Amino acid sequence: MNLPKSAKRFSVLFAAIILSILCIRFVSRTCFAQSSTQSAPAARPWMNTSLSPDQRADLVLAQLTLDEKIQFVHGAGWGVLREGDPVPPRSNLGAGYTPGIDRLGIPDINLADSAVGVRLGALQSRYATLLPSPLGLAATWSLKSANLYGEVIGRELRDQGFNMSIGGGVDLAREPRNGRNWEYAGEDPLLAGSIVGNLAKGVQSQHVMGDIKHYAFNDQETGRNIVDVHIDKRAARESDLLAFQIAIVISDPAAVMCSYNKFEGVYACENDYLLTQVLKKDFAFKGWVVSDWDGTHSTVAAARNGMDMEQPQGEYFGEALKKAVQSGQVPESRLNDMVHRILRSMFATGVVDYPVLPRRVVDPFKGLEDAQQIAEESIVLLKNSDKILPLSADKTHSIAVIGSHADVGVLSGGGSAQVDAPGGNAIDPKPGTAEWQKPMWFPSAPLKFIRQAAPKAKVEFNPGTDPTAAAAFAKSSDVAIVFVNQFTSEDSDYPLTLPDNQDALVKAVAAANPRTIVVIESGTTILMPWVNDVKGILAAWYPGIGGGQAIANILFGAVNPSGKLPITFTKSEADLPHPQIPGWDLAMKAAQDHKPVPPFDANYTAGARVGYKWFESEKKEPLFSFGHGLSYTTFAYSNLKVDDKQKQVSFTVKNTGSRAGAEVAQVYVELPKTAAESYKRLAAWDRIPLAPGESKTVTLPLNPLCLSIFDVQTNNFTPLPGDYKVHVGSSAKDLHLAATLKVTE
Ligand code: BGC
């Protein structure tokens, strides 16, 4: 048949579309043929949605053989994660896979790393939205954005055929050099727990199971498989464990991942105190405990002490567990409890009632829009001398953009949370999966968006690799914008000094051009020996796929910055509780000798004094305080009232400038003297958008856990009778109002 070229092209396209639809249908029928709704409720009474998730789980459990139970409590192998390992036939090519029970219509569990977007997309040419890092999300202080963040992840997981997210990191940024801080939500238990809890809630709103990790005290990567953490019990409950408690209570997550490290001499994944006493009893956690990958060290101890599922394989929870159950070393009731917890979470989140079939293409535009919006709320304006920002598009005639590959994209964090960039690494584009610990740049070039924002200006780029050349380049322009970056990744910790001579770059440019602005893309805090030399500083975290546009929008004032620091920036590592990371020397030596890191302790002598609490109690001046973040408008605080009975406060915030903006108003409390604390605690906050001249009175309940101390004798959080000094302000150090709350009971 002689068809014109365009018609031929159309028919080829049409045939391709039909073929792919048929393929997807075939694949979904064969590979994912487990629709749970196939048989009638009478034959499968657990499909009766009017029963509770617990009742439904018990009905399934009653049908299971010992082998089926065992099959359900471990992964089916490393699959795509380890080169050369077989890939289980129905695995969706994520980090983990546990086969379901086909004869009962219980679906497989397909788990994907997804702390910041769905990992390993390139393996199957699938796109996933890269969101700003969770640390950036915490800088929004917005529970709404945390929910949205989770929704994006849940939506894209589901579209890609996964029914479980592994993300939800809530380890406190107790150690600013931790290479995974970018995956977590900062240093304060209330802020981190609330952000991550809402994130996991957002994931689960998409009928995808969520998890919270790494439980607990996995606060450094140095020697993470061997470090033994010690901390006073009260301090433990008021810091790291409190963050988990808050996140778990908010989200009721399907799972909690136990961590690699030891706690008080016992591996976290077989630690009765952490898993059974605190998590399952005190927090009333109803889901299951999944091991971190290869984080299981025993069968009987792990099973008896509260771990419920081994991933990604069945070395300890496969045949070995079956034998332990048969010999009575592990009671069958404990195995039943493990399976019950898994099934209950599957019913509770809806993965049985709403199976993930068929696979769909994700909506990249929706993802991009959401990612950009969150990035815009997350960027923190740290410094703005002489109101250098926002830049005026009309009055700025020449702009020197320098460094950090700002001409091609934005940086992301490394490790198991790394998302694949569309088209490959933007600085070296080859399609494919990210390499372990190799910095990956996403195609969202700040340079392009700066040019769009200032169409009349001469905007030029210099790579910044030679500070002298960069300074000469910047000298004659109206303004110099230097991008600096700090790559961080799982499995390593990082000094806070910027790598690659970037401090010298900033110094040289600032010396050449008095109107220098620095934009930081980082996974945690950094040192700034040039802080007094530059006019403006933005912390953009790892800003995600909408990052380039978001940064330009802040620089030119299309968006008024509203982010606030979720982590204290120190002036020097010497001011930290551990001037050197515990075990650092041992780990360096072991790496040199090609030997495993020997056992060592991390003594958390700072106790609950994490971040700003440490700085305040030690009377050390931070570089930028927790909660700090400037705006292009100004806010005034007034009229603080406390309600002793309701334990809440109200106050008024007014936008006293000429631009619309949002203020994150923070409430800190000093406990009565009997608490023996020398620091304030964050107890509430609100993100308040205000038009110019507008004022708003907000009433905020103070979190009861933040008004209490953990009483080790009674094993309870107890409020202390007495006077609580309440402070309201725009950061932990910039406090505007104070009053006294009297607690009698
Ligand atoms: C990480 C986990 C991750 C798992 C699976 C481990 O190395 O600690 O956070 O979910 O790998 O990729």
Side-chain angles (χ1 to χ4, degrees), residues 529-550:
W530 33 259
V531 67
N532 295 322
D533 306 334
V534 301
K535 285 269 155 65
I537 307 175
L538 290 179
W541 317 109
Y542 298 140
I545 191 66
Q549 175 81 74

mmCIF file of all heavy atoms in Angstrom, residues 529-550:
data_model
loop_
_atom_site.group_PDB
_atom_site.id
_atom_site.type_symbol
_atom_site.label_atom_id
_atom_site.label_comp_id
_atom_site.label_asym_id
_atom_site.label_seq_id
_atom_site.Cartn_x
_atom_site.Cartn_y
_atom_site.Cartn_z
ATOM 1 N N PRO A 529 33.805 30.025 55.550
ATOM 2 C CA PRO A 529 34.851 30.983 55.928
ATOM 3 C C PRO A 529 34.701 32.325 55.222
ATOM 4 O O PRO A 529 35.348 33.294 55.612
ATOM 5 C CB PRO A 529 36.149 30.264 55.509
ATOM 6 C CG PRO A 529 35.742 29.144 54.621
ATOM 7 C CD PRO A 529 34.327 28.806 54.930
ATOM 8 N N TRP A 530 33.828 32.404 54.237
ATOM 9 C CA TRP A 530 33.623 33.622 53.455
ATOM 10 C C TRP A 530 32.322 34.336 53.812
ATOM 11 O O TRP A 530 31.910 35.252 53.116
ATOM 12 C CB TRP A 530 33.611 33.260 51.953
ATOM 13 C CG TRP A 530 33.024 31.884 51.710
ATOM 14 C CD1 TRP A 530 33.721 30.738 51.472
ATOM 15 C CD2 TRP A 530 31.635 31.504 51.714
ATOM 16 N NE1 TRP A 530 32.867 29.663 51.321
ATOM 17 C CE2 TRP A 530 31.569 30.117 51.467
ATOM 18 C CE3 TRP A 530 30.438 32.195 51.918
ATOM 19 C CZ2 TRP A 530 30.365 29.405 51.402
ATOM 20 C CZ3 TRP A 530 29.228 31.495 51.859
ATOM 21 C CH2 TRP A 530 29.220 30.125 51.603
ATOM 22 N N VAL A 531 31.728 33.906 54.939
ATOM 23 C CA VAL A 531 30.380 34.417 55.240
ATOM 24 C C VAL A 531 30.315 35.945 55.287
ATOM 25 O O VAL A 531 29.313 36.550 54.877
ATOM 26 C CB VAL A 531 29.828 33.770 56.537
ATOM 27 C CG1 VAL A 531 30.621 34.201 57.755
ATOM 28 C CG2 VAL A 531 28.355 34.057 56.733
ATOM 29 N N ASN A 532 31.391 36.579 55.788
ATOM 30 C CA ASN A 532 31.354 38.043 55.902
ATOM 31 C C ASN A 532 31.754 38.747 54.612
ATOM 32 O O ASN A 532 31.673 39.966 54.506
ATOM 33 C CB ASN A 532 32.278 38.506 57.035
ATOM 34 C CG ASN A 532 31.765 37.993 58.360
ATOM 35 O OD1 ASN A 532 30.555 37.944 58.582
ATOM 36 N ND2 ASN A 532 32.674 37.549 59.224
ATOM 37 N N ASP A 533 32.215 37.981 53.643
ATOM 38 C CA ASP A 533 32.706 38.600 52.404
ATOM 39 C C ASP A 533 31.620 38.729 51.329
ATOM 40 O O ASP A 533 31.824 39.411 50.331
ATOM 41 C CB ASP A 533 33.856 37.763 51.804
ATOM 42 C CG ASP A 533 34.962 37.527 52.816
ATOM 43 O OD1 ASP A 533 35.096 38.350 53.737
ATOM 44 O OD2 ASP A 533 35.673 36.506 52.695
ATOM 45 N N VAL A 534 30.523 37.994 51.505
ATOM 46 C CA VAL A 534 29.511 38.002 50.438
ATOM 47 C C VAL A 534 28.258 38.715 50.932
ATOM 48 O O VAL A 534 28.026 38.822 52.132
ATOM 49 C CB VAL A 534 29.173 36.561 49.968
ATOM 50 C CG1 VAL A 534 30.433 35.857 49.454
ATOM 51 C CG2 VAL A 534 28.512 35.749 51.075
ATOM 52 N N LYS A 535 27.430 39.142 49.977
ATOM 53 C CA LYS A 535 26.242 39.932 50.350
ATOM 54 C C LYS A 535 25.026 39.044 50.609
ATOM 55 O O LYS A 535 24.219 39.324 51.493
ATOM 56 C CB LYS A 535 25.909 40.908 49.212
ATOM 57 C CG LYS A 535 26.847 42.096 49.140
ATOM 58 C CD LYS A 535 26.295 43.242 49.981
ATOM 59 C CE LYS A 535 27.353 44.212 50.468
ATOM 60 N NZ LYS A 535 28.025 44.967 49.429
ATOM 61 N N GLY A 536 24.901 37.991 49.799
ATOM 62 C CA GLY A 536 23.696 37.171 49.930
ATOM 63 C C GLY A 536 24.053 35.687 49.945
ATOM 64 O O GLY A 536 25.015 35.274 49.298
ATOM 65 N N ILE A 537 23.289 34.913 50.729
ATOM 66 C CA ILE A 537 23.516 33.452 50.752
ATOM 67 C C ILE A 537 22.160 32.746 50.755
ATOM 68 O O ILE A 537 21.276 33.069 51.564
ATOM 69 C CB ILE A 537 24.295 33.007 52.017
ATOM 70 C CG1 ILE A 537 25.598 33.802 52.174
ATOM 71 C CG2 ILE A 537 24.598 31.514 51.962
ATOM 72 C CD1 ILE A 537 26.368 33.496 53.464
ATOM 73 N N LEU A 538 22.028 31.777 49.840
ATOM 74 C CA LEU A 538 20.827 30.932 49.806
ATOM 75 C C LEU A 538 21.228 29.494 50.085
ATOM 76 O O LEU A 538 22.182 28.992 49.475
ATOM 77 C CB LEU A 538 20.179 30.942 48.422
ATOM 78 C CG LEU A 538 19.477 32.181 47.910
ATOM 79 C CD1 LEU A 538 18.938 31.915 46.498
ATOM 80 C CD2 LEU A 538 18.311 32.553 48.828
ATOM 81 N N ALA A 539 20.500 28.806 50.962
ATOM 82 C CA ALA A 539 20.675 27.356 51.124
ATOM 83 C C ALA A 539 19.590 26.694 50.289
ATOM 84 O O ALA A 539 18.405 26.838 50.592
ATOM 85 C CB ALA A 539 20.546 26.960 52.584
ATOM 86 N N ALA A 540 20.007 26.003 49.226
ATOM 87 C CA ALA A 540 19.010 25.399 48.321
ATOM 88 C C ALA A 540 18.937 23.888 48.498
ATOM 89 O O ALA A 540 18.183 23.225 47.789
ATOM 90 C CB ALA A 540 19.344 25.740 46.868
ATOM 91 N N TRP A 541 19.715 23.309 49.441
ATOM 92 C CA TRP A 541 19.731 21.864 49.690
ATOM 93 C C TRP A 541 20.034 21.128 48.381
ATOM 94 O O TRP A 541 20.663 21.679 47.494
ATOM 95 C CB TRP A 541 18.412 21.418 50.333
ATOM 96 C CG TRP A 541 17.970 22.380 51.405
ATOM 97 C CD1 TRP A 541 16.926 23.247 51.343
ATOM 98 C CD2 TRP A 541 18.607 22.625 52.674
ATOM 99 N NE1 TRP A 541 16.867 24.009 52.499
ATOM 100 C CE2 TRP A 541 17.889 23.643 53.329
ATOM 101 C CE3 TRP A 541 19.706 22.087 53.333
ATOM 102 C CZ2 TRP A 541 18.224 24.134 54.586
ATOM 103 C CZ3 TRP A 541 20.050 22.571 54.587
ATOM 104 C CH2 TRP A 541 19.318 23.576 55.206
ATOM 105 N N TYR A 542 19.518 19.901 48.232
ATOM 106 C CA TYR A 542 19.470 19.293 46.897
ATOM 107 C C TYR A 542 18.059 19.605 46.412
ATOM 108 O O TYR A 542 17.080 19.038 46.914
ATOM 109 C CB TYR A 542 19.706 17.790 46.947
ATOM 110 C CG TYR A 542 21.072 17.398 47.476
ATOM 111 C CD1 TYR A 542 21.224 16.307 48.330
ATOM 112 C CD2 TYR A 542 22.206 18.105 47.114
ATOM 113 C CE1 TYR A 542 22.471 15.937 48.813
ATOM 114 C CE2 TYR A 542 23.455 17.750 47.593
ATOM 115 C CZ TYR A 542 23.580 16.669 48.446
ATOM 116 O OH TYR A 542 24.812 16.311 48.924
ATOM 117 N N PRO A 543 17.918 20.528 45.459
ATOM 118 C CA PRO A 543 16.589 21.109 45.244
ATOM 119 C C PRO A 543 15.648 20.323 44.329
ATOM 120 O O PRO A 543 14.506 20.724 44.140
ATOM 121 C CB PRO A 543 16.921 22.469 44.636
ATOM 122 C CG PRO A 543 18.225 22.280 43.945
ATOM 123 C CD PRO A 543 18.967 21.209 44.685
ATOM 124 N N GLY A 544 16.127 19.204 43.753
ATOM 125 C CA GLY A 544 15.217 18.387 42.943
ATOM 126 C C GLY A 544 15.064 18.900 41.525
ATOM 127 O O GLY A 544 15.680 19.904 41.126
ATOM 128 N N ILE A 545 14.209 18.222 40.767
ATOM 129 C CA ILE A 545 14.096 18.478 39.321
ATOM 130 C C ILE A 545 13.525 19.872 39.001
ATOM 131 O O ILE A 545 13.722 20.398 37.913
ATOM 132 C CB ILE A 545 13.276 17.348 38.629
ATOM 133 C CG1 ILE A 545 13.348 17.423 37.108
ATOM 134 C CG2 ILE A 545 11.827 17.333 39.103
ATOM 135 C CD1 ILE A 545 14.705 17.155 36.523
ATOM 136 N N GLY A 546 12.852 20.481 39.965
ATOM 137 C CA GLY A 546 12.362 21.853 39.731
ATOM 138 C C GLY A 546 13.324 22.885 40.302
ATOM 139 O O GLY A 546 12.995 24.075 40.396
ATOM 140 N N GLY A 547 14.528 22.443 40.675
ATOM 141 C CA GLY A 547 15.453 23.281 41.427
ATOM 142 C C GLY A 547 15.930 24.522 40.695
ATOM 143 O O GLY A 547 15.986 25.613 41.276
ATOM 144 N N GLY A 548 16.300 24.371 39.418
ATOM 145 C CA GLY A 548 16.843 25.503 38.667
ATOM 146 C C GLY A 548 15.846 26.651 38.622
ATOM 147 O O GLY A 548 16.174 27.813 38.897
ATOM 148 N N GLN A 549 14.612 26.290 38.321
ATOM 149 C CA GLN A 549 13.549 27.312 38.239
ATOM 150 C C GLN A 549 13.277 27.912 39.616
ATOM 151 O O GLN A 549 13.111 29.129 39.760
ATOM 152 C CB GLN A 549 12.280 26.654 37.679
ATOM 153 C CG GLN A 549 11.071 27.545 37.637
ATOM 154 C CD GLN A 549 11.062 28.478 36.438
ATOM 155 O OE1 GLN A 549 10.817 28.036 35.323
ATOM 156 N NE2 GLN A 549 11.322 29.754 36.669
ATOM 157 N N ALA A 550 13.244 27.055 40.637
ATOM 158 C CA ALA A 550 12.939 27.538 41.989
ATOM 159 C C ALA A 550 14.014 28.534 42.453
ATOM 160 O O ALA A 550 13.699 29.588 43.016
ATOM 161 C CB ALA A 550 12.856 26.359 42.965
#
